[in-house]
Amino acid sequence: MKHYKGLMAGALAMALAIPAMAVTGYADDTEGKLIMLNWGNTEEERIANEAIARFNEEYPNVTVEQTCVPVESWSDYIQKWITMSTSGEAPDIISLGLEGAQMAVSNDLLLPLDDIVAGDEALSAQKGEYAESLLKGFSSDGVLYGLPNGTQTMVVYYNKEMFDAAGVEYPQDGWTWDEFMETAKAMTTDDVYGFGLSSSYFQLTPWWATNDASPAAEDGTPSLNSENMVEAVTFLKQMVDEGVTPDPISSDVYTMFASKQLAMVGAGRWVLNSWKEAGFNNDNFDCVQWPVNKREGSVYGGSAWCLGTATQQPELATALLKYMVASETLTEVAAGGQQIPPTESLATDHAIMGDTPDNVDGLWKAITIADPVCAPTYFGDIEQSLLRAMEEVFSGAKEPQAALDDAEAELESLIG
Amino acid sequence: MQKKKKWNPSKKRELRAAYLFTIPSFVGFLVFVFIPIIWVIIISFQKYNVFTTATTFVGWDNYRQILTNSRSLVALKNTLWYTVLCALGNTGMGLILAVLVDDVLPHKLSVFFRSIYFFPSLVGLTFVAIIWQAFFQTDAGVINYYLTRIGIAKIGWLSSQTFSKISVLILDIWKNMGMSMLLILAGLQNVDRGIIEAAEIDGASAFQRFLKVIIPLASPQIFFVMIMNVTGALRIYESISVLTNGGPGDSSRSLVMLIAEKGFTSFDYGAASALSVLLLILISIVTFIQFVGSRKWVHYE
């Protein structure tokens, strides 16, 4: 019986190998050049280069040119893309942040991936692994345009030692905005702020989500001055007025948390490496879900590999796409310590995610309850308008309602 | 009939050489300045889709849109504020440092200080911006730490509508005064020592010598530095972008920052071009006024 099983397995392996060999045999001769537009630091560039090297083992005659740029703003990244396209170097394969996805789709820059994924077993299997919410972020009108390779979210980190010293109970999942404010006040002293509020678009989103608000409505129109948005901004302004947070415009809250000037701060996974280097371990910090007002929530962003409409070689580009989202590549991206892997199996694997802090699984939980970072087709404008309004509120120049009304009017005239 | 001018062969050769020498800079001007300006003027009358490069003629719409927008007016006001204070600050500090280095400090030290003052002009602003931000932070910043030590309340250097421009001004002067100093210094070193000594013998005080002798003699350099600083300040971008990014709100935003936002965030090339044309006109007017005014105070020997 044992023998028979082995024989079956052998036959099965042969059967599987034959088409693979056939494909490899065909691919060997394919010649061509693919242009890749990637974003990130040198580490991310290196990981992509290694995936390209694996692709080149199968396609030795295909040259892949990677351009990897740091991203300051997604509009700049799209601008880079346009510049490459107009100078005859239109990228075939692009790594795109969620923030730029709808802008790219609405301007016809991306190829729909549904047929490509459906026609490919490996990609179909891969698609089933992703969190549904992530795929939704990279879809428009039900059509999929990107396969995610990493994601990011926000939870609240707190310094356990400070809480112990102050005799304040650790926060628990499901805590409310009121409980949060009480805790922040209890933790604030002459040298320490209870919470570090960061006035960036992504970092602010959990406040909108947990108040059941969003800068743009479901139909894509701006809703900066909706009742729930105004209420959330008023709460943030109260935080500033009560002095439980340092100045949100000029403060580097992640450095302040590492140097123990803050008791709590909101962040994703990207801060963990530098905090661990600063001596943080399971004994002195942990994380908890975002405090709740109207519903539980957080934010997720992330990036995905997409194919450009300008590509002349969609088959080759698809072949490369498979290598970019293969679990080997995703594991390497996750091992870099910045991003959270986009699939549950990888994101809850402690060999990849590490064991610090204790509640490291909370990061994946946050993604499952999170809203995507609000990124309509006019992302650059909505980001600028909202952040300007926040600065006006925090600097005391305008009241929340007036600042958001003005921003809404400005934005509507911009997108006309 | 006018007689045709006759050129001898050596003159002709010289002329040919002259043309050959000017060709590179002329081509550079044509490709990188003249043609883009024409292109910008054309685009300023169009709605331009950067993704498809499709264009529609819209007449004066872009101009109307930016001239009626309160944000452009704020940016214009800020730009004029920067122009007056950055230009005066950069030129003034440059002049003071140049006199310090040239006249006041002992020669051996002057080389050392000249390098120190010029150093900021050599470093990339993006790198030092991190340090300046650490200085200017409200709650963890170096400046506020010392201010609170002597009993002064914290100042929102980057986060108050009043102080954000002042922070930019400080950074801009720190960055650019070295270059002004170097250029004015070149002028001062050309001043005939004999004239200064003659003034000294006639009983002129140090301040009188400075005001009545040194400044008039170095006025061509000071004028050049002034023009450079004024046009530079009208186009101020980097010092703001690395420090406040135009905020809080629009309180420190300049015209060029607004142009960049219109062009590269909103992808509205039409409005960005119209703003650029207005800025070009503004720079031309200011420079013209300076040239006319200069006849009164610049002395060419």
Side-chain angles (χ1 to χ4, degrees), chain B residues 59-98:
Chain B
W60 293 96
D61 272 10
N62 291 326
Y63 289 91
R64 209 169 296 131
Q65 180 203 324
I66 52 173
L67 286 174
T68 52
N69 186 311
S70 60
R71 291 190 64 208
S72 340
L73 298 179
V74 171
L76 175 69
K77 261 201 323 222
N78 290 340
T79 305
L80 294 176
W81 190 95
Y82 287 126
T83 307
V84 172
L85 293 175
C86 288
L88 283 180
N90 281 325
T91 317
M93 283 304 291
L95 183 63
I96 291 170
L97 293 182

Side-chain angles (χ1 to χ4, degrees), chain A residues 127-140:
Chain A
K127 188 185 161 191
E129 282 270 303
Y130 289 122
E132 198 57 42
S133 55
L134 276 179
L135 291 175
K136 217 176 107 191
F138 285 96
S139 301
S140 178

Side-chain angles (χ1 to χ4, degrees), chain B:
Chain B
M1 249 188 74
Q2 218 177 7
K3 224 180 170 184
K4 227 183 176 179
K5 226 180 190 174
K6 266 199 179 160
W7 295 94
N8 62 32
S10 85
K11 256 263 161 68
K12 255 188 190 164
R13 258 206 312 278
E14 246 177 53
L15 198 67
R16 206 164 44 226
Y19 280 128
L20 277 174
F21 277 118
T22 49
I23 278 180
S25 70
F26 181 70
V27 170
F29 172 78
L30 209 65
V31 174
F32 294 112
V33 181
F34 188 71
I35 295 175
I37 287 180
I38 300 296
W39 193 74
V40 163
I41 293 174
I42 295 171
I43 295 292
S44 72
F45 291 101
Q46 292 176 331
K47 199 106 236 141
Y48 180 86
N49 185 328
V50 281
F51 299 100
T52 59
T53 66
T55 54
T56 352
F57 181 78
V58 292
W60 293 96
D61 272 10
N62 291 326
Y63 289 91
R64 209 169 296 131
Q65 180 203 324
I66 52 173
L67 286 174
T68 52
N69 186 311
S70 60
R71 291 190 64 208
S72 340
L73 298 179
V74 171
L76 175 69
K77 261 201 323 222
N78 290 340
T79 305
L80 294 176
W81 190 95
Y82 287 126
T83 307
V84 172
L85 293 175
C86 288
L88 283 180
N90 281 325
T91 317
M93 283 304 291
L95 183 63
I96 291 170
L97 293 182
V99 172
L100 259 179
V101 167
D102 187 49
D103 247 13
V104 183
L105 291 170
H107 182 69
K108 274 187 188 148
L109 275 180
S110 86
V111 177
F112 174 70
F113 277 100
R114 196 167 56 195
S115 316
I116 297 250
Y117 296 143
F118 187 60
F119 184 69
S121 302
L122 298 175
V123 265
L125 205 47
T126 328
F127 304 117
V128 289
I130 299 169
I131 299 168
W132 277 100
Q133 272 174 349
F135 279 170
F136 282 136
Q137 275 177 18
T138 312
D139 293 296
V142 177
I143 299 178
N144 276 358
Y145 173 78
Y146 286 106
L147 285 183
T148 47
R149 269 304 178 77
I150 55 169
I152 298 174
K154 284 177 184 171
I155 290 174
W157 293 102
L158 305 175
S159 52
S160 100
Q161 307 253 339
T162 333
F163 281 95
S164 56
K165 276 202 290 287
I166 295 173
S167 309
V168 171
L169 178 71
I170 294 172
L171 173 66
D172 197 71
I173 292 180
W174 173 83
K175 164 87 181 147
N176 293 321
M177 65 184 182
M179 183 56 101
S180 303
M181 172 204 71
L182 207 68
L183 292 165
I184 296 175
L185 195 59
L188 290 183
Q189 283 170 347
N190 276 335
V191 171
D192 189 349
R193 294 278 134 187
I195 302 176
I196 298 176
E197 277 161 26
E200 213 173 340
I201 292 165
D202 285 345
S205 69
F207 184 67
Q208 279 174 325
R209 287 201 303 274
F210 172 71
L211 207 66
K212 303 274 181 185
V213 182
I214 297 177
I215 287 198
L217 287 175
S219 59
Q221 272 76 25
I222 297 174
F223 175 60
F224 170 71
V225 169
M226 194 72 173
I227 293 266
M228 212 183 65
N229 283 331
V230 167
T231 50
L234 280 166
R235 289 177 287 134
I236 188 167
Y237 175 82
E238 203 188 5
S239 304
I240 307 171
S241 149
V242 296
L243 206 59
T244 63
N245 204 20
D250 276 327
S251 62
S252 63
R253 201 172 308 274
S254 69
L255 276 177
V256 178
M257 289 218 64
L258 195 61
I259 292 173
E261 189 189 316
K262 293 262 176 230
F264 306 129
T265 301
S266 306
F267 297 113
D268 188 351
Y269 277 24
S273 301
L275 260 177
S276 306
V277 172
L278 292 183
L279 180 63
L280 182 71
I281 294 171
L282 182 67
I283 292 178
S284 310
I285 294 173
V286 172
T287 311
F288 177 76
I289 294 173
Q290 278 184 294
F291 266 97
V292 171
S294 74
R295 288 189 200 139
K296 286 213 186 315
W297 66 275
V298 177
H299 303 267
Y300 294 97
E301 277 180 276

Side-chain angles (χ1 to χ4, degrees), chain A residues 154-156 173-175 287-291 298 359 362-363 365-366 369:
Chain A
M154 296 280 285
V155 291
V156 173
D173 284 3
W175 58 328
C287 69
V288 60
Q289 296 301 325
W290 213 264
S298 181
N359 184 25
L363 287 167
K365 192 193 162 197
I369 57 169

Side-chain angles (χ1 to χ4, degrees), chain A residues 75 78-79 82 103 107 109 193 246-247 249-252 256 261 380-381 384 388 391-392 395 397 410 414, chain B residues 50-51 69 71 137-140 154 158-161 247-250 253 261-267 269:
Chain A
S75 306
I78 299 249
Q79 184 68 35
I82 295 169
M103 204 193 310
N107 286 294
L109 294 171
Y193 291 94
D247 163 35
I249 297 173
S250 69
S251 301
D252 177 356
M256 288 179 85
Q261 291 167 293
D381 286 326
Q384 291 276 341
R388 254 199 322 272
E391 288 177 356
E392 283 167 348
S395 65
E410 167 79 21
L414 273 177
Chain B
V50 281
F51 299 100
N69 186 311
R71 291 190 64 208
Q137 275 177 18
T138 312
D139 293 296
K154 284 177 184 171
L158 305 175
S159 52
S160 100
Q161 307 253 339
D250 276 327
R253 201 172 308 274
E261 189 189 316
K262 293 262 176 230
F264 306 129
T265 301
S266 306
F267 297 113
Y269 277 24

